[in-house]
Amino acid sequence: MVTRQETYFEEFEVFSRKTQSSPVQYHFSLLAPNEDIAIMMAQENFMRREAVDDIWVVKRQNIRKMTVEEKKTLQRMDNKDYRTTKGYGYLKKKWRKYEQGMLDEKEIMSWGGGVTNEE
Amino acid sequence: MKNEALKNISIKELLLQLADDDFIHSYRGAEWLGLAPHIEEDVASASISQDTMGHAAIFYKLLEELGEGDADRLAHDRPAKERRNAIILEAANGPGYYMKDPDYDWAFAVVRNYFYTEAKAIKIQSLQSSSYEPLAEVAQKVQMELYYHLMHWKMWFVQLLGSHHADAVSRMKAAIDKTLPDFAGVFSLGQYGEEMVELGLIDGGIQKKWVEAVTPIFESVGLATTFKIGMAKGDGRNGVHTEDLEAALETLSEVYASDKAASW
Amino acid sequence: MNVLFNEMTEQEKLNHFIARIEAGEKIEADDWMPEDYRGTLIKLISMHGISEIMGALPEKEWVPKAPTLNRKLGIMAKVQDEMGHGQILLRVAEDLLKPCGKKRDDLMQDLFNGDLKFHNVFHMEAKTWGDAGLIGWLVDGAAIISQTNMLGSSYGPYSRALHRICAEEVFHAQHGEAIIMALAEGTEQQRKLVQDSIDYWWESLLLFFGPPSKKEVGSSKQDITIKYRIRTSTNEELRQAFFSKYVKRILSLGYTIPDQTLRFDKESETWIYRQPDWGKLKVYARNEGPRSQGRLSLRRISYENNKWVREALAPKVM
Ligand SMILES: [Fe+2]
Ligand SMILES: [Fe+2]
C-alpha cells in the first residue's frame, strides 16, 4: 500500500449562527489539513467583523448537493394558497362581523410572550 | 511617602513590562504577514497580532494616564535600554529582513507564540485581581481575547509535534531548545518584582504555574518535561537587550521619528 | 421537454446556458458552462486573487513603520483583509480549476514561473508612508470601481465573493483617506509626501483599468467578459468613473495631477487625459517592474520555507 502525501489541504465549508435562535448561515470555503485547524481558521477568515454564537465546519466531500436534474424537482406550481395563510385571509372579514380579531401569525406568535387573562 | 514612591514605580514598571512585551511580540507577528504557511493561517494569525498590538496600546494608555507621556511616544520613542520587554520576545523570526529574504522559521514562531501566550494568560489571570484597579479592569477585557490566542497556538504546537513527521518534530524540538534558555525573561518581574508581589499588583510564581500548564501538553506529544528555563542573554526587564531589539525599534519608529511633533 | 440535461447536445447546453445568464440567473461551480466561460473566469479570478495576495505586500512593508499605534492597527487590519480577499478569490478559482486537475499548489507555481500575472500597481514600489496612504486611497479606490462593476457577475461564487470583498473595501477607502487627510493637513513635509505619491502613482492608476481596446496591447479580455455578463462596463468606462469620483477630491486637497491636459469635456461628457505608456503593462506582465522580482521572491521564500509545515500536516491519502 502506498501512502501518497500531498502538500495541500482539504476543503471545508464554513457555517455560523449569529445567535442561539438564528438559523445557520453559509459563509465560504477554506483549505485546512483537518477539521481542528479548519475551525480555528474559520472565524478570523470570514467573521472578523461580526459577532457569532457558533461555528460549524464541514468537509466538503460530506456535503451532498443537488444535480441539475434534481434541481428540477424543486419547481412548484403557484397554486398552493391552501397551504398558507394567504388562502384564508377572508376570515378576517368574517370575524369582524362577530367582533373578533384575526388569529394571524403576528397574533399567534405574540402568545409566546405569555397570554394575559381577559374575558 | 517613600512607600508611595515605591508603589508608583512598581506600577509603572509592571505596566511597561506588559506594554513592551506585547508591543514587540506583535511586531514579530506582523513581520509574518503574507509569509505564513498557508493563506488561511496568514489571515487568522494576523488577528492575533492585531489583538496583541491592541493590548500594548491599552497598557501604554494606562501609563499615559499616570503622566508618563503620550502612548505613541512611549511606544515609538524610547531607546532599547529603556525597554522592559523580555529578550526572547525581541529575538528575530530568523535570518533576513521582513522585506528581503526573510528566512523565517514557523517552528520558532509556534513555540514562542504558544509559550508566551500561555505565560501571558497566567499573568492576565492574576492581574484580574491586581490591587491596582485600572489594571485589574483592563486584565478582565484582555483575558477574553486570550482564549483564542492560546487555543490557536496550542493547536499548532500539538499538531506539529504530534504529526510523526520527522522533519517537523525535529524542527519543533530545535525551536523549544532555542526558546527555553531565554524564556525565564518572560516570567521575570525585574528589579521591583518583590515589591510588585508584596503590593498585590501581581502574583509571584508565574514560572511554576506555567510549567504546570504546559506539562500535560508536553506529555501528550511525548516530550520530556525537564524544563531548562533560563535567562541566558540577561533580563530585559532591567534594560538589557540585544541588537535584534535595536534593529526592530529603528523600523518601528522610522516614520514617527521623522517628525515627532507632527500629527500622523 | 423531457430531455435529460446530460443528453442535450453541446449547442443545446450552450443555448440553455445563455438563456440562464440572460435571465439574470447565477451560474454555480458544478453547473455546465462553456469552456471559454470557464477559461475566462479562471484567468480573471486567479489573477484577481493572486493580485490581492501580492497587493498585500506593498502595504505590509509599512505595517511596522506606521507612525502611531492606531495607524499600526489600521494598516495591519487592512493587509489582513487583502490576504483574506486573496483567500476567498483563490478558493473561487480553485473550484473552477478542479476539472482541469489543478490546485492551489499549481496556482503558486504558475505565479512563480510567470504564467499567472498580478496587477500592474503591485509591481510598483511603496517608498514612503505617503505611498502607503495613497495605496489605500487611490489604488483601493480604483479597485473598488472595478470590483463593484462585477458585483452582479453571472458567476455566482464570484459575485458572492465580491460582495464580501466590497463590504471591506469601504473600510479600506476610509483607512486610506484618513492617512492622506492627516498628511494633507500636516506640515509642509507631510503635504509633500502626498504630492510625491500622486505623481509617482498616477500613471499606474490609469494603467490599472487596462487598455481602452485591443489595439493598445494586442489583446483584451473585455469583450468576452461583457458578453458573458461577468461585468458590465468597459475598461474605458471604468477609468472615466475613476476620474469622476476622484479628480475633484484630489484637487480639493490642494494637490495637482501630473497631467496638464486632464479636463472634463462637457460636450462629450468624458474626461480627456494623456494616454499612459501602455507598453508598461507588458513590462509588468513579464514581471519586470521595479518591485516585481522582490515581491515574487518573498512569496517564493515563504512557500519554500513552509513546505515542511504543509507536508507534516497534509492529510495522508492511503
Ligand atoms: Fe482587496
Ligand atoms: Fe482593498
Side-chain angles (χ1 to χ4, degrees), chain C residues 52 82 85 169:
Chain C
E52 299 278 359
E82 302 302 5
H85 297 172
E169 293 295 353

Side-chain angles (χ1 to χ4, degrees), chain A residues 1-13 25-34 37 44-50 60 65-66 68-69 71-72, chain C residues 3-6 28 30-31 77 80-81 84 87-88 91-92 94-95 98 103-105 157 160-161 164 168 171 303 307 310-318:
Chain A
M1 196 175 283
V2 194
T3 307
R4 189 165 61 91
Q5 199 151 340
E6 299 200 41
T7 53
Y8 256 103
F9 299 156
E10 299 202 53
E11 296 167 308
F12 289 88
E13 300 288 356
Q25 180 204 349
Y26 172 63
H27 284 272
F28 228 84
S29 69
L30 57 75
L31 296 185
N34 50 60
I37 294 189
E44 299 314 308
N45 270 271
F46 306 126
M47 292 153 270
R48 292 195 288 285
R49 292 181 171 88
E50 52 188 294
R60 182 183 277 179
K65 287 191 198 164
M66 294 190 109
V68 186
E69 302 306 331
K71 276 189 189 169
K72 288 185 185 160
Chain C
V3 184
L4 285 174
F5 188 81
N6 286 333
E28 294 299 325
D30 302 332
D31 293 353
Q80 174 187 39
D81 283 352
Q87 190 275 341
I88 286 175
R91 288 298 309 126
V92 175
E94 285 155 19
D95 284 347
K98 214 169 255 183
K103 290 186 169 188
R104 189 174 295 179
D105 262 322
R160 287 193 295 274
R164 294 189 80 94
E168 294 183 344
F171 151 66
Y303 187 78
K307 202 168 181 187
R310 295 191 301 274
E311 273 173 9
L313 298 182
K316 287 153 195 74
V317 187
M318 295 300 275

Side-chain angles (χ1 to χ4, degrees), chain C residues 6 68 112 219:
Chain C
N6 286 333
T68 68
F112 300 148
S219 74

Side-chain angles (χ1 to χ4, degrees), chain C residues 69-97:
Chain C
L69 289 161
N70 233 335
R71 294 274 182 250
K72 280 181 162 66
L73 286 164
I75 195 166
M76 232 193 285
K78 206 252 178 187
V79 169
Q80 174 187 39
D81 283 352
E82 302 302 5
M83 289 301 290
H85 297 172
Q87 190 275 341
I88 286 175
L89 292 163
L90 289 185
R91 288 298 309 126
V92 175
E94 285 155 19
D95 284 347
L96 283 162
L97 280 164

